[in-house]
Structure formats: C-alpha cells, structure tokens
Amino acid sequence: MYLAELLAGALAIGCVYSLVALGFAMIMRATSIIHFAQGELLMLGSMSGLSTLWLLPKLPAVAVLICGMVASGILAVAMEFLVYRPLRLRRVALMNVITATVGMSILCINAARLLWGSEPLRYPELFSTSAYRIAGVPVSPQLVWIMAFGVVLMGLLQLFLKRTRTGLVMQAVAQDAEVAQLMGANLTRMMLYTFAIAGMMAGAAGVMFGSLFFSFFEMGFLLGIKGFVAATLGGLGSLAGAMLGGILFGLIETFSAVYVSSAYKDAIGMVLLIAILLFLPSGLVGLWKARG
Amino acid sequence: MESARLKRSLTGIVLLALAALPLFEPHQFVLHMLSLVAISATAALGLQLLLGFSGQLSIGQAAFYGIGAYASGLLSAKLGMPFIVAFFAAGVIAAVVSLVMVPITRLTGAALAVATLGFSILVYLVLKNEEWLTGGSFGLMGIPRASLFGYVLAKPAYAYLLCVAVAAAVYLSLLRLQRSRFGRAINAIRQNEDAARACGVKVTLLKSQCFVIAAFVAGLAGSLYAHQVRYLAPTDFTFWKSVEILIMVVIGGMGSLFGAVLGAAVVVLVPEVLREVGDYRMLIFGAILMVVMLFGEGGIAGFLEQCLRPFSKPRA
Amino acid sequence: MPEALLEAAGLSRRFGGLAAVDAVDLRVERGAIHGLIGPNGAGKTTLLNLIAGALAVTRGTVSFRGADITRWDAARRAQAGIRRTFQNLKLFAEMSALENASIGLHAGTHAGIFAALARTPAQRAEEERIFARARRALEFVGLGGDAGVAAGKLPYGHRRLLEIARAFVAEPALILLDEPAAGLNQTEAANLSRLIGRIRDAGCTVVLVEHHMDVVMSVCDQVTVLNYGRKLAEGRPAEIQRDAQVIEAYLGRGDAPPSKHALA
Ligand SMILES: Nc1ncnc2c1ncn2[C@@H]1O[C@H](COP(=O)(O)OP(=O)(O)OP(=O)(O)O)[C@@H](O)[C@H]1O
Ligand SMILES: [Mg+2]
C-alpha cells in the first residue's frame, strides 16, 4: 500500500528531474554550455502556470501545463537570442558563456522575487482529490497525472527528434555542427529550437513540481542542480540517459530518504554520482552500450 | 620586458596603499568589507591556479573553504588552539580531504564540474547534519578573534592587515609558481594535454597537485573567514559560495592573479554599493555579470591591461 | 649488424573492426633516419602513436634500448628519450615560442613546487639553463628571431619548425617526426631535409613519416612502407623507389602519388 504510494511519488518526482535533465542534455549537446539558468526556467514556468491559474481559475491542468511550457520556452529563446548567441558570436571562451548563464540565473531569481514575492506559493488543486484505485491500490491522482504528462512529453520529444525533419537536423547539429552546416542546416535556428524545447521541458517540470509542492522564487536552484546531476548519472549529453537518470535520481532520493536517512538523502545521490563519473565515464547509458 | 616592470611597480604600489589604509582611520565597516575582499581574493587565487592555470573547472571550492573555516573554528573554539596553529591546520586539513577527491582530477570539463559540485553538496550536508561537531543549522559560535604571538587582533585594522597579508602572501607565492617550471607545465596541460604528455609532463600528477594546492589555499581563506566573522553556519558554504568564487575568477580574468583579486573586490563590493537600489541590486549584479562576460576571457584584468598598453613601451 | 634502438614486434592496433596497424615488425637502428611512408590512412600516425605511447597497443611489443616499454605511458617514454611531433600541430598556442620549447625540457629537469616558492639558487640556475637550451633549440631550427612570439601567432611553416624544436630541445635518443614537410614549399622542404640531417648529426635517431618524397629520398637511410596497416616493403630508398608493389600501392588506389616526383 504504502510502498505503492512511495513508488508513485518517486516516479513522479523522477519525471520532473528527467524533464530538467533533458533540457540540460539538449543544450549541452548542442552548445557544450552547462546551462545554470535551467532551474530558473523551471521556476519561471511554475510561476507562469500559477499566474494563469490566478487569472483563469477554471483552467484544466493540461492548459496550465501548456501555459508554463510556452512561457519558459519563450524565455529560453530570449536568453539564447539576447545573451548566449551574442556571446558566442564574439567567440568568447566557453567558461565565459557558462558564467553568463550564472548571471542569467541570478537575474531570473531576483526578478521573480520582485514579481511574485519571497513566500512559497501554493498551487490550487489541479486534479481530483479522491484517490484512484489501480489494481486495488489507492494512488493519488496527482501523481498519476504527473507521470502521465511526463511520459507523454518525453515520448513526443522522442518522436519529434526521430521522426521529423527538423528533429533530425537538430540531432545532426548536436552531433557535429560543422558538418551539419555544410549540409545546409541553419545553425542559428536549430539553436533557437534547442533552447525552445529545453525551456518547454523545464516549464512543464515547473508546473508539475508546483502542483505537487509549491512555487518559490528560489526553487530552481536545487531542482536545477538535481536535474544536472540526473543528466550526468545517465551520461552527459545523452538524451535517453537524461531521462533514465532523472527517474533513477527520483527513486534513489525518495527511497534513501525513507530507508536510510532523510538528512542524508541527497548525499547518497552524490556519492553515486561521483562513483559513476569515475568508473562509468559515459554514464549508465554507456554501460548499456558497452554490453550491447 | 618593460610591461613586466610596470606591472611589478603597480603591484607594489597597490600593496603599499592597502597596508597604509588603516592610517586614515576608515570606518570599521569599510575595514570589515575590505577584510572580506581579501579573504575572498585568497580563495579566488586558489581557484585561479586550478582553473585559470591548469584548466580544471571546479564548482566545489566552497567545500574546502568550509572545511577550513570549520576546522579552524573548532580547533580554536573547542580545543583552544592558538590562531596560528588553527590557521595552518585549516589549510592542511582541507588539503588532506582534497586528497580523497584526487581521483576526480582524471575527469575533464563538465564531468569534473559536476563531481566537485557533488562533493561540495556532501560537505554541506555533513556540516549541516553533524550537530555534535559543527552545531548543525544553529551554526558554530564563540570563535575567538585571530591572534598572533599572544596578541589578540581586536582592532578591525589589525584583522584587516592580517587578511591582506595572507592574500598578498598567497598572491606572491602563486606568482612565483606561475613563472616556474611547474607553472609552465600546468599551463601547457591546459592548452594541450597530449602535447604536454609527449614532452614528458606527468599530467595526472600535476593536475592533482593543483587540486590539492587550491584546496589548501581555500582552507586558509576559510580560516580567516571563521575568525573574521566568528560565527559559521552551513549556509555560508553552499553551492552558491562555490559559484561566487568561480565568478570572481572569470569576471576578473582567467589566468590572471591580479584579475582574481579584482574579481573578488567586484563580487564582494558591488552588491554592497548597490544596496542603494534596494531590491534591484542582485538583478543589476546578474546583468553586470553577463555584460562583463562580453569582455572575453581576459575579464576585467584583460580590459585594464588593454587600457594600460599605450603607457608601457612596446617590446622591441 | 648495427644495434637496434627501437624494435617493434607484431605490433597491432584495432579501432573497432579496423586494423589500423596490423602485425608490424619494425627495427630502427641507432643513428639512422628511418622513413615511414604509405598512402593516406595506411596507419603511419597510428604506428607513431603506438611507439610514443599515445595509444595503447592491441597486440605486440615495443622495446627501446633493449627494455620492453609496451606498458609505459607517454610521459615515461618521453622521459626515457622518445619525443615526437604531431601531424596536426599541437602547440601551446598562448605561450611564446621560447616557452613552448622550454616545456620540451620538463622531463629532464627537477625543480618542484617548493623550490619554485623558495626560489632556491638551484632552481634559479636550472631556470637559466632551461631557457638557454630552449633558445639554442630555437636557433637550431631557425626560429631564433621568434622567441617572444606566441605560438598561435606564428606563420604556419614556423609552427612546424617549433614542433620540431620542442621535440629536439632535450636531445632525445629517438625523435618521431609526423609529416614535418606537410604544407611547406620546395625551398622550405629542402631546408627541412637539411635540418633533419643536422638532427641526426646531433646524435638523435629519427623516424620520419612523410609524404613529400623529395625529403624522404634525400635523407632516409632506410624506408618502411605501410599499406592498410601492414608492412608492404622495407629497404634502402633506391630499392623502395623501384619496388613494384609500392608503386602499385600508390597508383593502384587511384590516388596520385603524394608528390609528382615521387616514384619516377
Ligand atoms: N582514433 C581513431 N579512431 C578510429 N579510427 C582511427 C583513429 N585513428 C586512426 N584511425 C583510422 O586508422 C587508419 C589509419 O590512420 P592513420 O592516421 O594512422 O593513417 P596515416 O597513415 O597517418 O594517414 P595520413 O597520411 O592521412 O596521415 C585510418 O583508416 C583512420 O581512419
Ligand atoms: Mg598521419
């Protein structure tokens, strides 16, 4: 009973991490940037979703999710277009671009505090409160829906990347930008798409996390770190790895909080992270590939 | 060669000015802030060696800074050790802990960054949860002021001079390292690892030596911080602290020791100066940070050097 | 029979399914200039990497001065006296030419962190020796005037020479040159041939990978031909020039011989 609820919770939060990690991985693959403002995109998506709910309280959950995604997507594109791209065009060192993403993150956090205040904000109930029964086991609808949204979004992203022309071109650019450009890919546009998608994933994660817990101007900080760690667990720069890493990190965190120590729940993830970096340099996905 | 002499005289003038500053009896708060600049500069100098010289990106320096601070605070508050012993012990303990982490210097780029980040989160959790040792979230109180040869440095001016002296000593030491066989070799590693190896440079060894030195220096800075502020809380040593130290190095100019000091001054003082604009100050700071990144790898130091160039004789 | 400085036996290196170097035996005599030629992709650079320790061998052994060095890493081999240049130039772009050359002396010198901090007399004397030798090496290759210039700012031909200076500065027992004449014009190539001769006269044994046949034929004592990772032929330059198999390897692939005077 209890275990099922715990598992559902772990998978739901894992989906949130996966979505953040996906954004990290996409941006890292395309630009080598560690995007420190990824967590802030999540926070801004969460806040935007909440604000639309304040305006239109009857909005269905899917619409709120889409609002959060659109808002973060637009913001991510603005970041790329107004800041990162000009930096790259000036050919500054990668370290400078990465530091600029830290500046972006500081800017977003403080803007959000001015706009939404510094108190944690609760989401209204987005889902029915009476428990679903799945094979006789009661599970909170919220968790079920979040998992469903997460899985659908990741599925759609995979379809987009594998089945559409634009998606394939984006993959090619991530593999080798120079060759892709020779073949006629428009790098500028592909970068914008990459950031748009990374932003949308983060925005969706923000709405999901907000509806599970709350929205808070500093929420992006820790969630961003966890997403980054999840992306690394799976294998830096691999999309499948990012998804896997997110789910895994959710599981580790939830179960070690219960069975090991809630004070050290993050520690286990970190120890595992360092071990994986040292012994499995290409992450869990690398292990898979080495076997296959 | 002329420009080297110009730089040397500038360094001398700046050091003299800093040492003479207390004669003008500035406000206590000014001295306190400048002490904090010197402390941050020390930590940033350590990271400059690691990142700017040897090319290793660490976003976990706050871990060693925190270890040094707590080590020094505990040794002097709980065991009553004299400051000077606690100070060096802080550096040594941070360095010894960093030895445990030395295997991660095999990693490069983003992987090294996440590994150091993960380590600093571990250290933060220990500082926060081991209440019996660190006081947990309540923090560690009752740390005595720094003292030298039995004299307590009670006046802010003396504490300030101590911090400046340590920062200057670290600065000059790293300057010597930079211009030595060791400094050239780590510089070579940063620019091309394969070529360095082909010249017989033991890449892994030198990289881990940089890692340990940076941790040692961060530990010293942490000790100064502990005795300056005299109250430590785990929240002083989160990931943000690491990022702050990183920002100092990048904003000041990668590879430039003087830049690391400038960067520390900017990161510590600018938010203070911006206090006028109240709620907008960190907003503006974030924007400034992004704009400075446009200067490129040279950062503020590189920018200043360009401004000074007309005054130094071009090389014949 | 003259003594062998370097011996490779059954040396192989695979990349996935591709045998880039396949069971190659190689014997380089002390004091020789040993040419290594072959069409593009024949495995010359890979063989050099195996000798220098930049790549791990899949099978086979390398021995140097009679010691088995197969398991040694690149730095240890460099220290023991095997130095190399890189086909696609790997200089320390931000450092001056002089500093680039000084890195070549890293292995033979000793001052460590503490000596540097204390500026001991021994350390300062060593620094002076390092820079004096680095300067001599630059002059030796003809870069005396470029000592203060950042390597990244040197013209292309000078960068090639700086690679050689960095490898030669420690006067290693064995120096591996990977296409030092690539991109040089005829005059520069002729100068390079003389430089390689002087390097040998200074006591270094040379392994020379080169497409530029004028250079190979004029300076090499012995030539090994690789094709598809295997050793195709070996002998004196004149014999190699007449070898039907070698001509076939260059012409049979449809690509023109590497130089128009190559195998006339
Ligand atoms: N790191 C690597 N990974 C995979 N394949 C490699 C690698 N290095 C070389 N190869 C392959 O091994 C073969 C031999 O390459 P190598 O560079 O040794 O040839 P080469 O004789 O030096 O050619 P060139 O004259 O063009 O320099 C080529 O087919 C090349 O594609
Ligand atoms: Mg080659």
Side-chain angles (χ1 to χ4, degrees):
Chain A
M1 234 34 57
Y2 172 64
L3 198 65
E5 184 75 28
L6 207 59
L7 189 65
L11 291 176
I13 191 76
C15 281
V16 172
Y17 296 152
S18 292
L19 289 172
V20 186
L22 267 174
F24 265 117
M26 289 192 65
I27 293 175
M28 176 159 302
R29 264 160 59 106
T31 63
S32 310
I33 296 174
I34 305 175
H35 190 230
F36 278 112
Q38 195 66 16
E40 277 54 56
L41 284 172
L42 175 150
M43 178 269 295
L44 292 168
S46 187
M47 292 294 192
S48 310
L50 185 59
S51 300
T52 25
L53 262 180
W54 285 342
L55 289 176
L56 307 164
K58 293 267 176 289
L59 219 56
V62 184
V64 180
L65 193 77
I66 292 174
C67 285
M69 288 174 68
V70 170
S72 290
I74 292 175
L75 285 167
V77 168
M79 289 177 185
E80 154 70 2
F81 195 72
L82 297 175
V83 183
Y84 308 147
R85 200 171 83 95
L87 279 171
R88 284 201 307 273
L89 287 181
R90 284 188 59 116
R91 301 193 169 280
V92 302
L94 184 61
M95 227 14 257
N96 286 50
V97 187
I98 293 177
T99 308
T101 73
V102 177
M104 179 61 81
S105 138
I106 295 175
L107 187 99
C108 291
I109 292 177
N110 289 283
R113 183 163 58 179
L114 290 176
L115 284 172
W116 284 286
S118 46
E119 295 300 314
L121 303 171
R122 268 211 161 281
Y123 260 65
E125 295 294 346
L126 281 179
F127 308 96
S128 89
T129 38
S130 57
Y132 289 165
R133 299 199 143 264
I134 295 172
V137 183
V139 181
S140 117
Q142 215 179 7
L143 297 179
V144 175
W145 277 107
I146 283 175
M147 279 186 273
F149 283 149
V151 169
V152 167
L153 278 176
M154 289 186 252
L156 284 178
L157 178 65
Q158 286 298 319
L159 275 182
F160 172 74
L161 290 176
K162 297 255 157 72
R163 291 287 141 79
T164 67
R165 218 190 115 65
T166 316
L168 289 171
V169 176
M170 283 176 67
Q171 298 267 58
V173 169
Q175 291 269 324
D176 189 332
E178 266 175 46
V179 173
Q181 195 172 24
L182 286 178
M183 315 268 275
N186 180 339
L187 283 193
T188 313
R189 192 179 310 152
M190 292 306 139
M191 290 299 169
L192 285 180
Y193 288 165
T194 303
F195 272 86
I197 293 176
M200 279 158 62
M201 296 290 144
V207 173
M208 291 176 180
F209 187 88
S211 75
L212 269 179
F213 303 99
F214 50 81
S215 290
F216 182 45
F217 76 106
E218 276 184 320
M219 71 196 284
F221 164 63
L222 208 61
L223 285 168
I225 289 183
K226 288 180 178 175
F228 184 29
V229 169
T232 317
L233 276 180
L236 269 174
S238 136
L239 298 190
M243 289 187 253
L244 191 70
I247 303 280
L248 186 74
F249 196 73
L251 287 169
I252 295 170
E253 182 185 76
T254 308
F255 282 90
S256 52
V258 176
Y259 292 106
V260 185
S261 136
S262 66
Y264 280 109
K265 68 174 175 150
D266 292 334
I268 292 166
M270 295 308 146
V271 171
L272 196 69
L273 166 79
I274 294 172
I276 286 190
L277 282 171
L278 281 178
F279 301 113
L280 276 179
S282 46
L284 293 173
V285 172
L287 185 69
W288 188 314
K289 283 191 184 137
R291 287 270 168 81
Chain B
M1 294 300 115
E2 272 303 298
S3 111
R5 189 182 301 167
L6 182 74
K7 267 189 206 159
R8 209 175 314 149
S9 14
L10 275 182
T11 312
I13 292 169
V14 170
L15 278 179
L16 268 181
L18 287 174
L21 185 78
L23 294 177
F24 301 98
E25 304 195 345
H27 195 276
Q28 286 207 0
F29 181 71
V30 173
L31 281 178
H32 178 66
M33 287 316 295
L34 290 178
S35 305
L36 291 183
V37 171
I39 293 168
S40 296
T42 308
L45 284 167
L47 182 61
Q48 187 66 275
L49 171 87
L50 190 62
L51 174 63
F53 295 3
S54 85
Q56 302 182 81
L57 172 56
S58 159
I59 46 177
Q61 284 313 98
F64 302 113
Y65 185 60
I67 290 172
Y70 270 90
S72 191
L74 287 168
L75 288 176
S76 51
K78 298 236 162 118
L79 300 183
M81 283 193 186
F83 166 75
I84 198 77
V85 177
F87 174 70
F88 284 107
V92 170
I93 292 173
V96 168
V97 175
S98 79
L99 279 177
V100 180
M101 291 302 294
V102 146
I104 68 170
T105 54
R106 277 199 325 224
L107 305 173
T108 53
L112 179 63
V114 218
T116 51
L117 163 66
F119 177 68
S120 81
I121 291 177
L122 280 178
V123 169
Y124 168 75
L125 288 172
V126 171
L127 294 181
K128 189 173 132 199
N129 290 314
E130 298 307 310
E131 275 180 28
W132 61 274
L133 184 68
T134 64
S137 313
F138 300 114
L140 181 65
M141 277 167 281
I143 302 170
R145 287 180 205 281
S147 60
L148 284 178
F149 316 112
Y151 294 99
V152 178
L153 306 181
K155 271 205 196 160
Y158 295 146
Y160 159 82
L161 285 176
L162 171 74
C163 295
V164 170
V166 172
V170 169
Y171 181 93
L172 295 172
S173 304
L174 293 185
L175 200 62
R176 285 190 164 189
L177 273 192
Q178 186 181 26
R179 297 180 184 158
S180 71
R181 171 175 171 271
F182 175 79
R184 288 190 301 273
I186 58 177
N187 205 348
I189 291 174
R190 175 173 57 83
Q191 293 179 47
N192 198 319
E193 247 182 58
D194 289 338
R197 242 182 232 116
C199 292
V201 176
K202 292 176 183 140
V203 171
T204 317
L205 176 70
L206 265 65
K207 275 182 162 184
S208 32
Q209 283 173 335
C210 290
F211 192 73
V212 174
I213 297 175
F216 177 76
V217 172
L220 295 184
S223 165
L224 288 181
Y225 179 77
H227 296 272
Q228 176 75 23
V229 179
R230 302 174 56 210
Y231 165 75
L232 299 174
T235 46
D236 294 340
F237 307 103
T238 57
F239 170 63
W240 269 119
K241 194 61 178 186
S242 300
V243 169
E244 241 178 68
I245 301 174
L246 178 68
I247 292 175
M248 295 172 193
V249 169
V250 183
I251 214 176
M254 297 244 283
S256 155
L257 291 172
F258 187 57
V261 178
L262 277 180
V266 169
V267 170
V268 176
L269 296 181
V270 166
E272 257 345 283
V273 173
L274 289 177
R275 216 170 259 287
E276 301 273 309
V277 293
D279 286 342
Y280 293 97
R281 72 186 179 121
M282 287 315 284
L283 201 80
I284 296 175
F285 181 73
I288 292 178
L289 186 55
M290 284 188 273
V291 171
V292 174
M293 288 308 106
L294 281 171
F295 291 4
E297 213 170 349
I300 302 176
F303 183 72
L304 285 183
E305 196 157 333
Q306 268 170 21
C307 299
L308 280 178
R309 192 152 300 157
F311 301 104
S312 67
K313 259 196 286 171
R315 198 187 34 240
Chain C
M1 190 147 116
E3 180 193 3
L5 179 70
L6 178 88
E7 251 175 321
L11 210 53
S12 303
R13 168 72 201 204
R14 305 189 71 86
F15 292 114
L18 172 85
V21 170
D22 196 3
V24 170
D25 297 317
L26 186 71
R27 192 186 136 82
V28 178
E29 279 162 16
R30 189 185 296 273
I33 297 178
H34 194 119
L36 201 57
I37 65 171
N40 289 107
K44 306 178 295 292
T45 298
T46 306
L47 181 56
L48 229 56
N49 282 333
L50 295 176
I51 298 171
L55 279 175
V57 304
T58 307
R59 202 166 302 122
T61 56
V62 186
S63 56
F64 179 63
R65 292 173 154 161
D68 182 359
I69 61 166
T70 315
R71 304 258 157 266
W72 292 15
D73 66 9
R76 187 161 173 206
R77 293 187 203 198
Q79 178 136 34
I82 301 180
R83 296 299 173 93
R84 54 96 52 96
T85 66
F86 293 91
Q87 181 176 358
N88 49 350
L89 298 181
K90 294 189 174 178
L91 290 167
F92 309 118
E94 294 166 27
M95 292 194 203
S96 69
L98 187 66
E99 283 174 320
N100 266 276
S102 78
I103 299 292
L105 291 166
H106 182 89
T109 47
H110 308 285
I113 294 167
F114 292 108
L117 287 178
R119 285 260 161 99
T120 57
Q123 187 260 356
R124 275 183 292 177
E126 188 182 85
E127 287 287 281
E128 267 175 39
R129 270 203 311 281
I130 289 175
F131 282 106
R133 278 184 78 179
R135 202 173 289 278
R136 274 208 304 280
L138 289 186
E139 278 157 12
F140 184 82
V141 302
L143 287 180
D146 287 331
V149 184
K153 297 225 162 79
L154 287 174
Y156 180 80
H158 290 196
R159 286 191 225 175
R160 286 236 163 264
L161 291 175
L162 182 55
E163 279 261 341
I164 297 177
R166 187 177 65 187
F168 172 72
V169 62
E171 297 182 14
L174 178 65
I175 187 165
L176 313 168
L177 302 176
D178 199 351
E179 302 202 17
L184 302 189
N185 60 35
Q186 289 299 324
T187 345
E188 289 172 323
N191 284 337
L192 180 79
S193 300
R194 277 194 293 279
L195 175 60
I196 295 172
R198 287 195 290 134
I199 288 176
R200 186 252 314 269
D201 297 341
C204 298
T205 303
V206 180
V207 172
L208 172 66
V209 171
E210 192 46 77
H211 277 315
H212 208 295
M213 286 304 143
D214 287 350
V215 176
V216 174
M217 295 305 157
S218 65
V219 300
C220 291
D221 307 305
Q222 188 79 3
V223 176
T224 299
V225 187
L226 288 184
N227 194 20
Y228 294 116
R230 293 185 151 272
K231 189 155 90 178
L232 186 67
E234 194 162 45
R236 312 209 141 270
E239 298 160 19
I240 293 298
Q241 248 168 329
R242 286 190 301 271
D243 191 308
Q245 263 190 310
V246 176
I247 296 171
E248 165 74 18
Y250 276 105
L251 299 181
R253 286 194 175 186
D255 32 336
S259 155
K260 59 178 185 288
H261 338 262
L263 300 156

